[in-house]
Short mmCIF file of all heavy atoms in Angstrom, two decimals:
data_model
loop_
_atom_site.label_atom_id
_atom_site.label_comp_id
_atom_site.label_asym_id
_atom_site.label_seq_id
_atom_site.Cartn_x
_atom_site.Cartn_y
_atom_site.Cartn_z
N TRP A 147 -21.45 50.82 -76.12
CA TRP A 147 -22.62 49.99 -76.46
C TRP A 147 -23.59 49.89 -75.31
O TRP A 147 -24.73 49.43 -75.47
CB TRP A 147 -22.19 48.61 -76.89
CG TRP A 147 -21.29 48.66 -78.08
CD1 TRP A 147 -19.92 48.68 -78.08
CD2 TRP A 147 -21.70 48.75 -79.45
NE1 TRP A 147 -19.45 48.78 -79.38
CE2 TRP A 147 -20.51 48.81 -80.22
CE3 TRP A 147 -22.93 48.80 -80.09
CZ2 TRP A 147 -20.53 48.91 -81.62
CZ3 TRP A 147 -22.95 48.88 -81.49
CH2 TRP A 147 -21.77 48.95 -82.24
N ALA A 148 -23.11 50.21 -74.11
CA ALA A 148 -23.98 50.09 -72.93
C ALA A 148 -23.54 51.08 -71.89
O ALA A 148 -22.37 51.45 -71.83
CB ALA A 148 -23.89 48.66 -72.38
N MET A 149 -24.49 51.55 -71.08
CA MET A 149 -24.19 52.50 -70.01
C MET A 149 -24.05 51.70 -68.71
O MET A 149 -24.83 50.79 -68.45
CB MET A 149 -25.33 53.49 -69.84
CG MET A 149 -25.36 54.59 -70.87
SD MET A 149 -23.96 55.75 -70.72
CE MET A 149 -24.41 56.65 -69.22
N PRO A 150 -23.06 52.07 -67.87
CA PRO A 150 -22.85 51.31 -66.64
C PRO A 150 -23.97 51.53 -65.63
O PRO A 150 -24.29 52.68 -65.29
CB PRO A 150 -21.54 51.85 -66.11
CG PRO A 150 -21.32 53.16 -66.77
CD PRO A 150 -22.11 53.18 -68.04
N LYS A 151 -24.54 50.45 -65.12
CA LYS A 151 -25.64 50.56 -64.16
C LYS A 151 -25.14 50.34 -62.72
O LYS A 151 -25.34 51.14 -61.86
CB LYS A 151 -26.70 49.53 -64.53
CG LYS A 151 -27.92 49.64 -63.65
CD LYS A 151 -28.93 48.58 -64.02
CE LYS A 151 -30.13 48.62 -63.10
NZ LYS A 151 -30.92 47.40 -63.24
N PHE A 152 -24.57 49.17 -62.48
CA PHE A 152 -23.91 49.01 -61.17
C PHE A 152 -22.67 48.14 -61.32
O PHE A 152 -22.56 47.34 -62.26
CB PHE A 152 -24.85 48.48 -60.09
CG PHE A 152 -25.44 47.12 -60.30
CD1 PHE A 152 -24.76 45.97 -59.91
CD2 PHE A 152 -26.68 46.95 -60.88
CE1 PHE A 152 -25.30 44.70 -60.09
CE2 PHE A 152 -27.24 45.71 -61.06
CZ PHE A 152 -26.56 44.57 -60.67
N ILE A 153 -21.77 48.32 -60.40
CA ILE A 153 -20.51 47.59 -60.46
C ILE A 153 -20.45 46.55 -59.35
O ILE A 153 -20.96 46.80 -58.25
CB ILE A 153 -19.32 48.60 -60.45
CG1 ILE A 153 -17.98 47.90 -60.73
CG2 ILE A 153 -19.28 49.36 -59.12
CD1 ILE A 153 -16.88 48.84 -61.16
N ASP A 154 -19.89 45.42 -59.65
CA ASP A 154 -19.79 44.36 -58.66
C ASP A 154 -18.33 43.98 -58.43
O ASP A 154 -17.53 44.01 -59.38
CB ASP A 154 -20.50 43.10 -59.19
CG ASP A 154 -21.95 43.01 -58.71
OD1 ASP A 154 -22.31 43.70 -57.76
OD2 ASP A 154 -22.72 42.25 -59.35
N ALA A 155 -18.03 43.61 -57.21
CA ALA A 155 -16.71 43.03 -56.92
C ALA A 155 -16.96 42.03 -55.80
O ALA A 155 -17.80 42.29 -54.91
CB ALA A 155 -15.74 44.11 -56.47
N GLY A 156 -16.29 40.91 -55.84
CA GLY A 156 -16.49 39.89 -54.79
C GLY A 156 -16.09 40.44 -53.43
O GLY A 156 -15.09 41.15 -53.29
N LEU A 157 -16.91 40.13 -52.42
CA LEU A 157 -16.66 40.61 -51.05
C LEU A 157 -16.74 39.43 -50.08
O LEU A 157 -17.43 38.45 -50.35
CB LEU A 157 -17.75 41.60 -50.63
CG LEU A 157 -17.86 42.92 -51.36
CD1 LEU A 157 -19.12 43.65 -50.88
CD2 LEU A 157 -16.63 43.78 -51.08
N LEU A 158 -16.10 39.58 -48.95
CA LEU A 158 -16.25 38.61 -47.87
C LEU A 158 -17.24 39.14 -46.83
O LEU A 158 -17.06 40.25 -46.34
CB LEU A 158 -14.90 38.35 -47.19
CG LEU A 158 -14.95 37.39 -46.01
CD1 LEU A 158 -15.25 35.95 -46.49
CD2 LEU A 158 -13.61 37.38 -45.25
N TYR A 159 -18.27 38.38 -46.55
CA TYR A 159 -19.24 38.73 -45.52
C TYR A 159 -18.90 37.87 -44.29
O TYR A 159 -18.59 36.70 -44.42
CB TYR A 159 -20.65 38.39 -45.99
CG TYR A 159 -21.20 39.32 -47.06
CD1 TYR A 159 -20.85 39.13 -48.41
CD2 TYR A 159 -22.06 40.34 -46.76
CE1 TYR A 159 -21.34 39.97 -49.40
CE2 TYR A 159 -22.57 41.20 -47.76
CZ TYR A 159 -22.20 41.00 -49.06
OH TYR A 159 -22.69 41.84 -50.04
N TYR A 160 -18.96 38.52 -43.11
CA TYR A 160 -18.69 37.73 -41.90
C TYR A 160 -19.66 38.14 -40.80
O TYR A 160 -20.12 39.27 -40.74
CB TYR A 160 -17.23 37.91 -41.44
CG TYR A 160 -16.88 39.31 -41.00
CD1 TYR A 160 -16.80 39.64 -39.65
CD2 TYR A 160 -16.59 40.29 -41.92
CE1 TYR A 160 -16.46 40.92 -39.24
CE2 TYR A 160 -16.25 41.58 -41.54
CZ TYR A 160 -16.18 41.89 -40.18
OH TYR A 160 -15.85 43.17 -39.79
N ARG A 161 -19.96 37.18 -39.96
CA ARG A 161 -20.88 37.44 -38.83
C ARG A 161 -20.10 38.08 -37.70
O ARG A 161 -19.27 37.44 -37.05
CB ARG A 161 -21.51 36.11 -38.40
CG ARG A 161 -22.59 35.63 -39.35
CD ARG A 161 -23.91 36.32 -39.09
NE ARG A 161 -24.38 35.97 -37.75
CZ ARG A 161 -25.04 34.85 -37.49
NH1 ARG A 161 -25.38 34.02 -38.45
NH2 ARG A 161 -25.44 34.61 -36.25
N LYS A 162 -20.42 39.37 -37.46
CA LYS A 162 -19.69 40.11 -36.44
C LYS A 162 -19.95 39.55 -35.05
O LYS A 162 -19.15 39.74 -34.12
CB LYS A 162 -20.13 41.57 -36.47
CG LYS A 162 -19.68 42.33 -37.70
CD LYS A 162 -19.96 43.81 -37.60
CE LYS A 162 -21.45 44.09 -37.64
NZ LYS A 162 -21.78 45.51 -37.84
N ASP A 163 -21.09 38.86 -34.88
CA ASP A 163 -21.41 38.32 -33.56
C ASP A 163 -20.70 36.99 -33.32
O ASP A 163 -20.79 36.42 -32.23
CB ASP A 163 -22.92 38.16 -33.42
CG ASP A 163 -23.54 37.30 -34.49
OD1 ASP A 163 -22.97 37.26 -35.63
OD2 ASP A 163 -24.58 36.66 -34.25
N ILE A 164 -20.01 36.46 -34.34
CA ILE A 164 -19.31 35.18 -34.15
C ILE A 164 -17.78 35.39 -34.27
O ILE A 164 -17.02 34.88 -33.44
CB ILE A 164 -19.79 34.12 -35.17
CG1 ILE A 164 -21.29 33.92 -35.06
CG2 ILE A 164 -19.05 32.81 -34.95
CD1 ILE A 164 -21.89 32.91 -36.00
N VAL A 165 -17.34 36.12 -35.27
CA VAL A 165 -15.90 36.36 -35.37
C VAL A 165 -15.63 37.87 -35.21
O VAL A 165 -16.35 38.69 -35.76
CB VAL A 165 -15.30 35.89 -36.73
CG1 VAL A 165 -15.35 34.38 -36.81
CG2 VAL A 165 -16.02 36.49 -37.93
N LYS A 166 -14.59 38.17 -34.44
CA LYS A 166 -14.29 39.59 -34.19
C LYS A 166 -13.73 40.26 -35.41
O LYS A 166 -14.10 41.36 -35.78
CB LYS A 166 -13.29 39.70 -33.02
CG LYS A 166 -13.95 39.67 -31.67
CD LYS A 166 -13.06 40.41 -30.66
CE LYS A 166 -13.42 39.97 -29.26
NZ LYS A 166 -12.68 38.77 -28.82
N GLU A 167 -12.78 39.56 -36.04
CA GLU A 167 -12.08 40.10 -37.20
C GLU A 167 -12.32 39.17 -38.36
O GLU A 167 -12.27 37.94 -38.20
CB GLU A 167 -10.57 40.13 -36.94
CG GLU A 167 -10.13 41.14 -35.93
CD GLU A 167 -9.93 42.49 -36.57
OE1 GLU A 167 -9.45 42.53 -37.71
OE2 GLU A 167 -10.33 43.49 -35.94
N PRO A 168 -12.51 39.70 -39.57
CA PRO A 168 -12.64 38.78 -40.72
C PRO A 168 -11.31 38.12 -41.03
O PRO A 168 -10.26 38.76 -40.83
CB PRO A 168 -13.04 39.72 -41.86
CG PRO A 168 -12.53 41.07 -41.45
CD PRO A 168 -12.58 41.11 -39.95
N PRO A 169 -11.30 36.86 -41.46
CA PRO A 169 -10.03 36.23 -41.83
C PRO A 169 -9.32 36.98 -42.95
O PRO A 169 -9.97 37.46 -43.86
CB PRO A 169 -10.44 34.82 -42.29
CG PRO A 169 -11.92 34.85 -42.44
CD PRO A 169 -12.45 35.99 -41.65
N LYS A 170 -7.99 37.06 -42.83
CA LYS A 170 -7.22 37.87 -43.79
C LYS A 170 -6.61 37.04 -44.93
O LYS A 170 -6.24 37.59 -45.94
CB LYS A 170 -6.07 38.59 -43.05
CG LYS A 170 -6.52 39.54 -41.95
CD LYS A 170 -6.63 40.94 -42.49
CE LYS A 170 -6.96 41.98 -41.43
NZ LYS A 170 -7.98 41.66 -40.45
N THR A 171 -6.48 35.74 -44.71
CA THR A 171 -5.92 34.90 -45.76
C THR A 171 -6.85 33.71 -45.98
O THR A 171 -7.68 33.40 -45.10
CB THR A 171 -4.53 34.33 -45.36
OG1 THR A 171 -4.73 33.46 -44.23
CG2 THR A 171 -3.55 35.42 -44.99
N TRP A 172 -6.70 33.05 -47.13
CA TRP A 172 -7.55 31.87 -47.38
C TRP A 172 -7.27 30.76 -46.37
O TRP A 172 -8.19 30.01 -45.96
CB TRP A 172 -7.37 31.37 -48.82
CG TRP A 172 -8.10 32.23 -49.81
CD1 TRP A 172 -7.56 33.11 -50.70
CD2 TRP A 172 -9.55 32.33 -49.97
NE1 TRP A 172 -8.57 33.74 -51.42
CE2 TRP A 172 -9.79 33.27 -51.00
CE3 TRP A 172 -10.62 31.71 -49.37
CZ2 TRP A 172 -11.08 33.62 -51.41
CZ3 TRP A 172 -11.92 32.05 -49.81
CH2 TRP A 172 -12.13 33.00 -50.81
N ASP A 173 -6.02 30.63 -45.92
CA ASP A 173 -5.73 29.61 -44.91
C ASP A 173 -6.46 29.92 -43.61
O ASP A 173 -7.04 29.03 -42.97
CB ASP A 173 -4.20 29.53 -44.63
CG ASP A 173 -3.49 28.86 -45.79
OD1 ASP A 173 -4.10 28.04 -46.48
OD2 ASP A 173 -2.31 29.18 -46.04
N GLU A 174 -6.41 31.21 -43.23
CA GLU A 174 -7.10 31.62 -42.01
C GLU A 174 -8.62 31.39 -42.18
O GLU A 174 -9.30 30.98 -41.24
CB GLU A 174 -6.89 33.13 -41.85
CG GLU A 174 -6.35 33.55 -40.51
CD GLU A 174 -6.12 35.06 -40.54
OE1 GLU A 174 -5.04 35.49 -41.00
OE2 GLU A 174 -7.04 35.82 -40.12
N LEU A 175 -9.13 31.66 -43.39
CA LEU A 175 -10.56 31.46 -43.61
C LEU A 175 -10.95 30.00 -43.37
O LEU A 175 -11.96 29.71 -42.71
CB LEU A 175 -10.96 31.88 -45.04
CG LEU A 175 -12.44 31.65 -45.36
CD1 LEU A 175 -13.06 32.88 -46.02
CD2 LEU A 175 -12.68 30.42 -46.21
N ILE A 176 -10.15 29.09 -43.89
CA ILE A 176 -10.46 27.68 -43.70
C ILE A 176 -10.49 27.32 -42.21
O ILE A 176 -11.42 26.66 -41.72
CB ILE A 176 -9.45 26.78 -44.49
CG1 ILE A 176 -9.60 27.04 -46.00
CG2 ILE A 176 -9.67 25.29 -44.17
CD1 ILE A 176 -8.53 26.38 -46.89
N GLU A 177 -9.49 27.85 -41.51
CA GLU A 177 -9.38 27.57 -40.08
C GLU A 177 -10.62 28.10 -39.32
O GLU A 177 -11.25 27.40 -38.53
CB GLU A 177 -8.13 28.31 -39.58
CG GLU A 177 -7.39 27.66 -38.47
CD GLU A 177 -6.21 28.57 -38.12
OE1 GLU A 177 -5.27 28.68 -38.94
OE2 GLU A 177 -6.29 29.21 -37.04
N VAL A 178 -10.95 29.39 -39.61
CA VAL A 178 -12.08 30.03 -38.91
C VAL A 178 -13.37 29.30 -39.26
O VAL A 178 -14.22 29.02 -38.39
CB VAL A 178 -12.18 31.52 -39.31
CG1 VAL A 178 -13.45 32.14 -38.79
CG2 VAL A 178 -10.96 32.28 -38.82
N ALA A 179 -13.54 28.97 -40.55
CA ALA A 179 -14.78 28.34 -40.99
C ALA A 179 -14.99 27.00 -40.29
O ALA A 179 -16.08 26.67 -39.82
CB ALA A 179 -14.76 28.16 -42.51
N LYS A 180 -13.87 26.24 -40.15
CA LYS A 180 -13.98 24.92 -39.46
C LYS A 180 -14.30 25.10 -38.00
O LYS A 180 -15.13 24.40 -37.43
CB LYS A 180 -12.63 24.17 -39.60
CG LYS A 180 -12.41 23.52 -40.94
CD LYS A 180 -11.09 22.78 -40.83
CE LYS A 180 -10.73 22.02 -42.08
NZ LYS A 180 -9.32 21.65 -42.09
N LYS A 181 -13.62 26.05 -37.38
CA LYS A 181 -13.76 26.24 -35.95
C LYS A 181 -15.12 26.82 -35.54
O LYS A 181 -15.70 26.41 -34.55
CB LYS A 181 -12.63 27.19 -35.50
CG LYS A 181 -12.36 27.17 -34.02
CD LYS A 181 -11.05 27.81 -33.68
CE LYS A 181 -11.21 28.46 -32.31
NZ LYS A 181 -10.38 29.63 -32.18
N GLN A 182 -15.60 27.75 -36.34
CA GLN A 182 -16.82 28.47 -35.94
C GLN A 182 -18.11 27.84 -36.44
O GLN A 182 -19.20 28.23 -36.02
CB GLN A 182 -16.76 29.93 -36.39
CG GLN A 182 -15.54 30.68 -35.92
CD GLN A 182 -15.49 30.84 -34.41
OE1 GLN A 182 -16.48 30.59 -33.71
NE2 GLN A 182 -14.34 31.19 -33.88
N LYS A 183 -17.98 26.93 -37.38
CA LYS A 183 -19.16 26.25 -37.93
C LYS A 183 -20.01 25.67 -36.79
O LYS A 183 -19.47 25.01 -35.90
CB LYS A 183 -18.67 25.13 -38.85
CG LYS A 183 -19.74 24.23 -39.39
CD LYS A 183 -19.10 23.11 -40.18
CE LYS A 183 -20.13 21.99 -40.30
NZ LYS A 183 -19.62 20.83 -40.97
N GLY A 184 -21.29 25.98 -36.81
CA GLY A 184 -22.17 25.46 -35.75
C GLY A 184 -22.48 26.49 -34.68
O GLY A 184 -23.47 26.38 -33.95
N LYS A 185 -21.63 27.51 -34.57
CA LYS A 185 -21.90 28.56 -33.55
C LYS A 185 -23.17 29.32 -33.92
O LYS A 185 -23.43 29.58 -35.11
CB LYS A 185 -20.72 29.55 -33.50
CG LYS A 185 -19.43 28.96 -33.03
CD LYS A 185 -19.18 29.19 -31.54
CE LYS A 185 -18.05 28.32 -31.04
NZ LYS A 185 -16.72 28.76 -31.50
N LYS A 186 -23.93 29.69 -32.89
CA LYS A 186 -25.16 30.47 -33.07
C LYS A 186 -26.09 29.92 -34.15
O LYS A 186 -26.64 30.65 -34.97
CB LYS A 186 -24.82 31.93 -33.40
CG LYS A 186 -23.93 32.58 -32.40
CD LYS A 186 -24.46 33.93 -31.99
CE LYS A 186 -23.71 34.44 -30.78
NZ LYS A 186 -23.72 35.83 -30.58
N GLY A 187 -26.21 28.64 -34.17
CA GLY A 187 -27.17 28.00 -35.07
C GLY A 187 -26.70 27.88 -36.55
O GLY A 187 -27.48 27.49 -37.40
N THR A 188 -25.45 28.25 -36.82
CA THR A 188 -25.00 28.13 -38.20
C THR A 188 -24.82 26.66 -38.57
O THR A 188 -24.55 25.82 -37.72
CB THR A 188 -23.66 28.86 -38.42
OG1 THR A 188 -22.73 28.40 -37.45
CG2 THR A 188 -23.81 30.36 -38.32
N LYS A 189 -24.97 26.39 -39.87
CA LYS A 189 -24.78 25.02 -40.34
C LYS A 189 -23.45 24.86 -41.06
O LYS A 189 -22.94 23.76 -41.22
CB LYS A 189 -25.93 24.63 -41.29
CG LYS A 189 -27.28 24.61 -40.61
CD LYS A 189 -28.35 24.19 -41.61
CE LYS A 189 -29.71 24.28 -40.95
NZ LYS A 189 -30.77 24.49 -41.95
N SER A 190 -22.96 25.98 -41.61
CA SER A 190 -21.65 25.89 -42.24
C SER A 190 -20.79 27.09 -41.86
O SER A 190 -21.30 28.11 -41.35
CB SER A 190 -21.74 25.74 -43.75
OG SER A 190 -22.78 26.51 -44.25
N GLY A 191 -19.47 26.93 -42.16
CA GLY A 191 -18.54 27.98 -41.82
C GLY A 191 -18.40 28.99 -42.94
O GLY A 191 -18.14 30.17 -42.71
N PHE A 192 -18.54 28.50 -44.18
CA PHE A 192 -18.32 29.39 -45.33
C PHE A 192 -19.16 28.91 -46.49
O PHE A 192 -19.38 27.71 -46.67
CB PHE A 192 -16.82 29.34 -45.73
CG PHE A 192 -16.46 30.17 -46.94
CD1 PHE A 192 -16.72 31.55 -46.97
CD2 PHE A 192 -15.85 29.59 -48.04
CE1 PHE A 192 -16.38 32.31 -48.10
CE2 PHE A 192 -15.49 30.36 -49.18
CZ PHE A 192 -15.76 31.74 -49.20
N VAL A 193 -19.62 29.86 -47.30
CA VAL A 193 -20.34 29.50 -48.52
C VAL A 193 -19.88 30.41 -49.64
O VAL A 193 -19.66 31.64 -49.44
CB VAL A 193 -21.88 29.54 -48.29
CG1 VAL A 193 -22.37 30.89 -47.80
CG2 VAL A 193 -22.63 29.15 -49.56
N MET A 194 -19.68 29.80 -50.80
CA MET A 194 -19.31 30.60 -52.00
C MET A 194 -20.06 29.97 -53.19
O MET A 194 -20.85 29.06 -53.01
CB MET A 194 -17.79 30.54 -52.22
CG MET A 194 -17.28 29.15 -52.51
SD MET A 194 -15.50 29.15 -52.71
CE MET A 194 -15.20 27.45 -53.19
N GLN A 195 -19.78 30.46 -54.38
CA GLN A 195 -20.51 29.94 -55.56
C GLN A 195 -19.62 28.96 -56.31
O GLN A 195 -18.64 29.35 -56.95
CB GLN A 195 -20.94 31.12 -56.47
CG GLN A 195 -21.86 32.10 -55.79
CD GLN A 195 -21.16 33.07 -54.85
OE1 GLN A 195 -20.15 33.67 -55.21
NE2 GLN A 195 -21.66 33.21 -53.62
N ALA A 196 -19.97 27.69 -56.22
CA ALA A 196 -19.12 26.66 -56.85
C ALA A 196 -19.88 25.77 -57.82
O ALA A 196 -19.38 24.74 -58.25
CB ALA A 196 -18.45 25.80 -55.76
N ALA A 197 -21.12 26.17 -58.18
CA ALA A 197 -21.85 25.43 -59.20
C ALA A 197 -21.18 25.68 -60.55
O ALA A 197 -20.42 26.65 -60.70
CB ALA A 197 -23.30 25.90 -59.24
N GLN A 198 -21.47 24.83 -61.54
CA GLN A 198 -20.86 25.01 -62.84
C GLN A 198 -21.66 26.06 -63.64
O GLN A 198 -22.64 25.74 -64.31
CB GLN A 198 -20.81 23.69 -63.59
CG GLN A 198 -20.02 23.78 -64.87
CD GLN A 198 -19.87 22.45 -65.54
OE1 GLN A 198 -19.70 21.42 -64.88
NE2 GLN A 198 -19.95 22.45 -66.86
N TYR A 199 -21.27 27.31 -63.53
CA TYR A 199 -21.92 28.42 -64.24
C TYR A 199 -20.99 29.62 -64.18
O TYR A 199 -19.86 29.52 -63.69
CB TYR A 199 -23.30 28.71 -63.62
CG TYR A 199 -23.24 29.54 -62.35
CD1 TYR A 199 -23.86 30.79 -62.28
CD2 TYR A 199 -22.53 29.11 -61.22
CE1 TYR A 199 -23.79 31.57 -61.15
CE2 TYR A 199 -22.46 29.87 -60.09
CZ TYR A 199 -23.08 31.12 -60.04
OH TYR A 199 -22.98 31.89 -58.92
N GLU A 200 -21.46 30.77 -64.64
CA GLU A 200 -20.57 31.93 -64.75
C GLU A 200 -19.96 32.35 -63.40
O GLU A 200 -18.82 32.78 -63.33
CB GLU A 200 -21.35 33.10 -65.35
CG GLU A 200 -20.52 34.35 -65.61
CD GLU A 200 -19.33 34.07 -66.55
OE1 GLU A 200 -19.47 33.28 -67.48
OE2 GLU A 200 -18.27 34.67 -66.31
N GLY A 201 -20.74 32.23 -62.33
CA GLY A 201 -20.26 32.65 -61.03
C GLY A 201 -19.01 31.84 -60.61
O GLY A 201 -18.16 32.31 -59.85
N LEU A 202 -18.90 30.62 -61.13
CA LEU A 202 -17.73 29.80 -60.80
C LEU A 202 -16.48 30.44 -61.38
O LEU A 202 -15.41 30.41 -60.77
CB LEU A 202 -17.92 28.39 -61.35
CG LEU A 202 -16.81 27.38 -61.07
CD1 LEU A 202 -16.72 27.10 -59.57
CD2 LEU A 202 -17.02 26.08 -61.83
N VAL A 203 -16.63 31.00 -62.57
CA VAL A 203 -15.46 31.66 -63.21
C VAL A 203 -15.00 32.82 -62.31
O VAL A 203 -13.81 33.01 -62.09
CB VAL A 203 -15.87 32.19 -64.62
CG1 VAL A 203 -14.69 32.90 -65.27
CG2 VAL A 203 -16.38 31.06 -65.50
N CYS A 204 -15.96 33.56 -61.78
CA CYS A 204 -15.62 34.71 -60.92
C CYS A 204 -14.89 34.22 -59.66
O CYS A 204 -13.85 34.77 -59.26
CB CYS A 204 -16.86 35.50 -60.53
SG CYS A 204 -17.75 36.15 -61.95
N ASN A 205 -15.46 33.20 -59.01
CA ASN A 205 -14.82 32.67 -57.78
C ASN A 205 -13.44 32.12 -58.08
O ASN A 205 -12.47 32.33 -57.33
CB ASN A 205 -15.70 31.58 -57.17
CG ASN A 205 -16.86 32.14 -56.38
OD1 ASN A 205 -16.93 32.07 -55.16
ND2 ASN A 205 -17.85 32.73 -57.08
N PHE A 206 -13.29 31.48 -59.23
CA PHE A 206 -11.98 30.92 -59.61
C PHE A 206 -10.95 32.02 -59.83
O PHE A 206 -9.81 31.94 -59.39
CB PHE A 206 -12.16 30.04 -60.88
CG PHE A 206 -10.88 29.76 -61.58
CD1 PHE A 206 -9.94 28.90 -61.03
CD2 PHE A 206 -10.60 30.34 -62.82
CE1 PHE A 206 -8.73 28.63 -61.68
CE2 PHE A 206 -9.41 30.10 -63.48
CZ PHE A 206 -8.47 29.25 -62.91
N ILE A 207 -11.36 33.10 -60.54
CA ILE A 207 -10.46 34.20 -60.81
C ILE A 207 -9.93 34.79 -59.50
O ILE A 207 -8.77 35.20 -59.38
CB ILE A 207 -11.19 35.30 -61.61
CG1 ILE A 207 -11.32 34.86 -63.06
CG2 ILE A 207 -10.49 36.65 -61.52
CD1 ILE A 207 -12.07 35.85 -63.95
N GLU A 208 -10.80 34.80 -58.49
CA GLU A 208 -10.42 35.37 -57.19
C GLU A 208 -9.35 34.48 -56.49
O GLU A 208 -8.38 34.98 -55.96
CB GLU A 208 -11.66 35.58 -56.34
CG GLU A 208 -12.48 36.73 -56.88
CD GLU A 208 -13.91 36.83 -56.37
OE1 GLU A 208 -14.37 35.90 -55.65
OE2 GLU A 208 -14.58 37.84 -56.66
N PHE A 209 -9.58 33.16 -56.52
CA PHE A 209 -8.60 32.28 -55.90
C PHE A 209 -7.27 32.34 -56.69
O PHE A 209 -6.19 32.46 -56.09
CB PHE A 209 -9.11 30.82 -55.92
CG PHE A 209 -10.00 30.49 -54.75
CD1 PHE A 209 -11.37 30.54 -54.86
CD2 PHE A 209 -9.46 30.14 -53.52
CE1 PHE A 209 -12.20 30.23 -53.80
CE2 PHE A 209 -10.26 29.84 -52.43
CZ PHE A 209 -11.65 29.88 -52.58
N ALA A 210 -7.37 32.22 -58.00
CA ALA A 210 -6.14 32.25 -58.81
C ALA A 210 -5.39 33.57 -58.59
O ALA A 210 -4.17 33.55 -58.33
CB ALA A 210 -6.50 32.06 -60.30
N GLY A 211 -6.11 34.67 -58.63
CA GLY A 211 -5.48 35.98 -58.48
C GLY A 211 -4.80 36.13 -57.15
O GLY A 211 -3.74 36.76 -57.04
N ALA A 212 -5.39 35.54 -56.11
CA ALA A 212 -4.81 35.66 -54.78
C ALA A 212 -3.40 35.04 -54.73
O ALA A 212 -2.55 35.43 -53.92
CB ALA A 212 -5.70 34.97 -53.76
N TYR A 213 -3.15 34.09 -55.64
CA TYR A 213 -1.83 33.43 -55.66
C TYR A 213 -1.02 33.84 -56.89
O TYR A 213 -0.06 33.18 -57.27
CB TYR A 213 -2.01 31.91 -55.59
CG TYR A 213 -2.57 31.50 -54.22
CD1 TYR A 213 -3.96 31.52 -54.02
CD2 TYR A 213 -1.74 31.18 -53.17
CE1 TYR A 213 -4.49 31.20 -52.77
CE2 TYR A 213 -2.23 30.85 -51.93
CZ TYR A 213 -3.62 30.88 -51.73
OH TYR A 213 -4.12 30.57 -50.49
#
Side-chain angles (χ1 to χ4, degrees):
W147 300 94
M149 282 292 288
K151 184 182 177 194
F152 63 86
I153 189 160
D154 267 342
L157 295 172
L158 178 68
Y159 288 81
Y160 65 101
R161 284 280 296 276
K162 291 188 292 193
D163 56 332
I164 303 180
V165 292
K166 275 206 201 88
E167 289 277 321
K170 299 265 185 317
T171 65
W172 282 108
D173 287 332
E174 233 178 274
L175 177 134
I176 296 172
E177 213 182 289
V178 171
K180 281 183 178 164
K181 197 165 147 211
Q182 304 296 347
K183 174 185 161 183
K185 296 264 167 72
K186 304 229 168 157
T188 53
K189 296 181 184 154
S190 38
F192 178 57
V193 57
M194 63 182 186
Q195 299 78 49
Q198 188 175 322
Y199 80 118
E200 184 59 36
L202 182 66
V203 179
C204 300
N205 281 250
F206 163 70
I207 284 179
E208 289 165 352
F209 276 97
Y213 293 85

